[in-house]
Amino acid sequence: MKQRLPSRRTVLKLGGAAAAAGLLPFPASLAQTGGRHGMSVFGELKYPPEFAAFDYVNQQAPKGGRMVYTAPSWAYNQNPQTFNTFNSFILKGDAPPRMELCFDTLMVRALDEPDAVYGLVAESVEKSEDENRYTFTIRPEARFHNEKPLTAEDVAFSLMTLKQDGHPLIRQTIEEMADAVALDERRVRVTFSGKQSRQLPMTIAGLPILSKDYYTRYDFTQSTLTPPVSSGPYRVGDYEVGRYIEYERVEDWWAKDLPVSRGHYNFDVLRLEFFRDRQVAFEAFKKGTMTFREEFTSKTWATEYNFPAVQDGRVKQSEFPDGRPSGAQGWFFNTRREKFSDPRVRAAIGFAFDFEWSNKNLFFDLYTRTESFFENSTMKAEGEPGPEELALLEPYRESLPEAVFGSAVQAPVSDGSGQDRNLLRKADSLFREAGLTRNGRQLILPSGEPLTIEFLSNSPSFERVVLPYINNLKLLGVTANFRLVDPSQYQARINEYDFDVVSRRYSLAPTLGESIRQFWGSKAAGTPGSNNLAGISHPAIDALIEKAIFAETRDEMEIAARALDRCLRAGYYWVPHWYKPTHTVAMWDIFGMPPEPPRYDFPVETTWWFDEEKAAAAGKAG
């Protein structure tokens, strides 16, 4: 468990006349009337109805070639280390990342806006006055890869199927969608409960559209290695289970000339390779078996890019800004287990991690310590709470730690020695306050059991980071170990919350919606497969989640997020890790790319292209 460039604003052409609106959003009054071409949470759209393409793409990008890589990110039941099913939208099985490229959606995000979506399958959308009914009009040319029309019936079927049987991260997010009904062949009406956020209609518009014909013959709830009938820009091509998969570009994709598609999906083949070991994957990249690599290991980035292809310029190292909120990366405690139920115990365990030593000796000073659940964003709480935050927090004062109302909790700063005695003494004091005692060198919980910790992982690369931490815990009397398991077992244990401590990174959207309930909401804490790994369950946190989701303005959302951040940090549900506001990328010099990436994502697979001239020079033509 993948930053700061201002989004570009270009002059918009309204009604055929050039308007000097380069720094202004598309007027909300136009964006919010019937039959609109796009939606956003707070009503502002950058692109007018007649826009040609998103600003961050090259409309003339050539088609062809291939990109070979390991997945830098994944979702739902996808697994970057192996796969055994092509059903990517349920909890069961391990699917390959990027299966979503095979499926169309009603609308797609503009990645240079915080939350705007524009029509793909839906040519327009209308909403009722009470905003509880949205009617999407389907483009008549939309079709599946088997040439059957994609109709409103398919859309309604998809939404209701995902609501009933989809992955828990989908089901719980869209539970306030009451119904989806095909009004005729081209119109589908989506009805909400009245308790939905402004973002939920956009979430619905971004869900995959399934073939009703296909899934009335095949059980959606089961894993399968039969590639599904779909309608997107790519389809499943060659593959070997657990080793690689190729997604082939659909040359006659029905939507290739739409404004939201121009300049996208340029590679003929996207090939994902699967490795259990990051170092083995790196060796494959060095040999040229893979052509793109987003590097997540600081030691490798700092010391190992010295092989011949780098020295002669065939492989390039680059850094690209990442404008998304970095979210939360850390070791998450499973507070469902009694030994982690006391926040003082959790805080004490955190004091034993010496980030400053690790950053210098293991990370080559490439990182900054993570402190916030909304790091790298204006939603991060800093200093004392302001009056607006206090107004949200005061009703829950009796149930919240006093630290919530002071300066925002920060991670401890060590002397960089690797064994900061001052921090270890503070940890020991907290253990004693929590009622732990000693039996020789072993810390004993109030229950009479020794305090033990298992750090669960599916990657051996993390061991070098965890072992020094384990040594410090040993000095405190905590018995800890690093447990490496295979990818399928790891995912199964995560889904069932069968772990002590696990590492995860979350990247959050700049506009908060129902999905954050999955991270910190009480209901998600008891739902297998949710993102609430820590098992956070607190009425104040639940209330602040709702305040953030239902904020009337972006300012109100950010205030609620900062209040929420204070509560989460004061709960010591994690030992925060580190972050950097960039993507560190190594690539064989065979790619073309737009001059400036969009602020809110890093869409390499969908907006870069294969450069034949560069590839010939690098000896990788064809």
Side-chain angles (χ1 to χ4, degrees):
M1 349 154 108
K2 189 135 127 184
Q3 288 182 347
R4 285 192 178 94
L5 273 185
S7 59
R8 295 178 295 159
R9 299 290 185 182
T10 58
V11 174
L12 304 180
K13 295 183 178 180
L14 305 177
L23 298 177
L24 298 175
F26 190 56
S29 59
L30 294 179
Q32 295 301 319
T33 56
R36 60 200 184 280
H37 67 296
M39 299 187 289
S40 75
V41 172
F42 298 113
E44 297 179 344
L45 294 176
K46 173 181 175 179
Y47 296 96
E50 67 271 24
F51 80 102
F54 294 132
D55 286 348
Y56 51 84
V57 302
N58 173 10
Q59 295 185 55
Q60 283 73 49
K63 308 291 186 185
R66 59 173 47 208
M67 176 180 166
V68 187
Y69 61 116
T70 57
S73 60
W74 50 94
Y76 306 132
N77 69 347
Q78 294 174 359
N79 193 324
Q81 294 181 310
T82 189
F83 70 94
N84 49 42
T85 180
F86 290 130
N87 191 343
S88 186
F89 307 114
I90 60 173
L91 182 60
K92 189 175 182 179
D94 300 278
R98 302 302 179 268
M99 274 300 296
E100 62 273 15
L101 290 173
C102 300
F103 293 84
D104 284 325
T105 56
L106 286 168
M107 297 180 133
V108 295
R109 275 194 62 203
L111 302 179
D112 54 353
E113 298 180 81
D115 49 46
V117 294
Y118 296 86
L120 177 61
V121 169
E123 65 181 10
S124 65
V125 58
E126 300 176 57
K127 68 178 179 181
S128 63
E129 261 188 58
D130 62 6
E131 301 188 14
N132 289 334
R133 294 183 302 282
Y134 284 69
T135 301
F136 296 89
T137 299
I138 309 304
R139 297 183 193 272
E141 66 269 33
R143 67 182 188 273
F144 290 100
H145 295 156
N146 62 4
E147 297 301 320
K148 291 188 176 182
L150 190 162
T151 68
E153 193 68 39
D154 292 298
V155 176
F157 168 81
S158 301
L159 296 178
M160 297 309 293
T161 298
L162 292 168
K163 178 180 171 69
Q164 179 177 328
D165 296 319
H167 192 281
L169 295 179
I170 299 176
R171 290 202 317 268
Q172 288 203 0
T173 298
I174 68 172
E175 64 182 359
E176 299 302 338
M177 183 193 79
D179 200 9
V181 178
L183 302 178
D184 54 41
E185 190 172 76
R186 291 187 55 208
R187 291 186 305 147
V188 60
R189 184 179 64 205
V190 180
T191 303
F192 297 96
S193 68
K195 296 185 287 185
Q196 75 279 2
S197 74
R198 285 186 177 87
Q199 192 179 73
L200 186 55
M202 274 135 276
T203 301
I204 294 293
L207 290 175
I209 298 174
L210 313 172
S211 165
K212 181 179 180 180
D213 176 68
Y214 178 82
Y215 281 110
T216 51
R217 291 182 286 115
Y218 294 91
D219 186 353
F220 175 74
T221 65
Q222 297 301 311
S223 297
T224 178
L225 283 169
T226 300
V229 171
S230 54
S231 62
Y234 286 90
R235 59 162 59 98
V236 173
D238 190 24
Y239 65 90
E240 186 173 335
V241 173
R243 295 192 60 188
Y244 69 86
I245 182 173
E246 293 186 350
Y247 297 107
E248 298 175 347
R249 184 171 62 86
V250 179
E251 291 190 26
D252 62 346
W253 180 43
W254 70 270
K256 60 185 173 61
D257 295 320
L258 292 179
V260 295
S261 306
R262 291 193 187 110
H264 290 80
Y265 315 117
N266 303 313
F267 295 103
D268 279 350
V269 173
L270 294 171
R271 177 177 170 121
L272 272 73
E273 298 279 353
F274 293 82
F275 297 92
R276 301 290 178 94
D277 187 284
R278 190 177 292 274
Q279 188 61 36
V280 175
F282 180 59
E283 294 301 320
F285 174 78
K286 287 165 64 174
K287 294 176 181 177
T289 303
M290 293 193 296
T291 54
F292 176 91
R293 177 178 172 88
E294 185 165 0
E295 186 57 72
F296 297 103
T297 304
S298 55
K299 177 177 180 291
T300 303
W301 184 255
T303 67
E304 297 185 40
Y305 282 89
N306 52 11
F307 49 94
V310 174
Q311 294 165 350
D312 62 26
R314 288 176 295 152
V315 167
K316 305 288 188 184
Q317 285 179 274
S318 299
E319 294 191 9
F320 297 88
D322 187 350
R324 301 168 300 170
S326 290
Q329 177 176 318
W331 286 294
F332 289 86
F333 296 104
N334 186 358
T335 64
R336 302 169 188 84
R337 297 191 167 178
E338 179 62 28
K339 59 185 172 182
F340 299 125
S341 62
D342 192 319
R344 293 170 295 185
V345 171
R346 303 194 295 265
I349 294 169
F351 274 113
F353 175 56
D354 192 329
F355 168 76
E356 285 67 31
W357 180 90
S358 299
N359 198 32
K360 179 180 179 180
N361 293 277
L362 302 178
F363 305 150
F364 300 86
D365 286 322
L366 292 176
Y367 294 115
T368 300
R369 184 76 189 267
T370 295
E371 293 178 336
S372 168
F373 285 75
F374 300 98
E375 198 65 64
N376 193 43
S377 82
T378 53
M379 294 182 281
K380 176 182 178 178
E382 300 193 69
E384 304 281 335
E388 296 98 338
E389 291 175 59
L390 285 173
L392 297 175
L393 293 167
E394 281 293 348
Y396 306 98
R397 181 179 280 273
E398 291 187 5
S399 67
L400 290 170
E402 188 59 33
V404 169
F405 299 90
S407 188
V409 169
Q410 294 182 305
V413 178
S414 80
D415 60 12
S417 65
Q419 292 181 358
D420 187 321
R421 292 181 179 274
N422 182 47
L423 294 184
L424 294 176
R425 279 195 294 269
K426 289 181 179 179
D428 184 66
S429 177
L430 283 170
F431 281 135
R432 292 177 187 277
E433 284 181 27
L436 276 73
T437 56
R438 290 188 177 276
N439 181 6
R441 294 185 177 182
Q442 176 69 62
L443 269 178
I444 304 299
L445 291 159
S447 65
E449 298 294 320
L451 177 56
T452 62
I453 302 174
E454 179 182 270
F455 291 86
L456 184 68
S457 181
N458 62 350
S459 172
S461 64
F462 233 76
E463 188 170 14
R464 71 188 188 98
V465 181
V466 176
L467 288 182
Y469 188 15
I470 287 175
N471 289 336
N472 278 352
L473 290 169
K474 183 178 180 181
L475 293 175
L476 291 168
V478 180
T479 301
N481 70 289
F482 178 79
R483 176 73 182 278
L484 183 66
V485 297
D486 69 69
S488 294
Q489 183 184 358
Y490 178 81
Q491 192 58 51
R493 289 186 61 176
I494 295 296
N495 289 341
E496 298 299 326
Y497 309 123
D498 180 18
F499 60 87
D500 282 348
V501 175
V502 70
S503 172
R504 179 68 66 88
R505 182 202 171 184
Y506 300 112
S507 293
L508 299 173
T511 303
L512 304 179
E514 276 88 350
S515 63
I516 65 172
R517 293 179 181 136
Q518 288 289 309
F519 291 97
W520 312 304
S522 295
K523 184 175 181 180
T527 302
S530 85
N531 278 326
N532 191 346
L533 298 180
I536 298 169
S537 180
H538 195 292
I541 290 174
D542 289 340
L544 290 169
I545 287 172
E546 299 308 301
K547 289 287 187 183
I549 291 173
F550 292 102
E552 296 286 334
T553 67
R554 187 167 295 280
D555 283 346
E556 288 182 9
M557 182 199 73
E558 292 177 351
I559 290 165
R562 289 193 288 269
L564 174 60
D565 191 30
R566 292 178 187 279
C567 296
L568 292 168
R569 288 157 69 175
Y572 297 99
Y573 298 107
W574 65 335
V575 179
H577 278 182
W578 45 85
Y579 78 99
K580 53 182 174 57
T582 56
H583 299 275
T584 46
V585 166
M587 64 193 119
W588 284 78
D589 191 19
I590 63 174
F591 301 113
M593 65 197 75
E596 185 178 299
R599 179 176 182 179
Y600 296 113
D601 211 339
F602 188 46
V604 173
E605 300 115 311
T606 57
T607 63
W608 288 20
W609 60 89
F610 183 80
D611 188 309
E612 291 188 357
E613 187 174 328
K614 284 184 175 181
K620 298 190 74 65

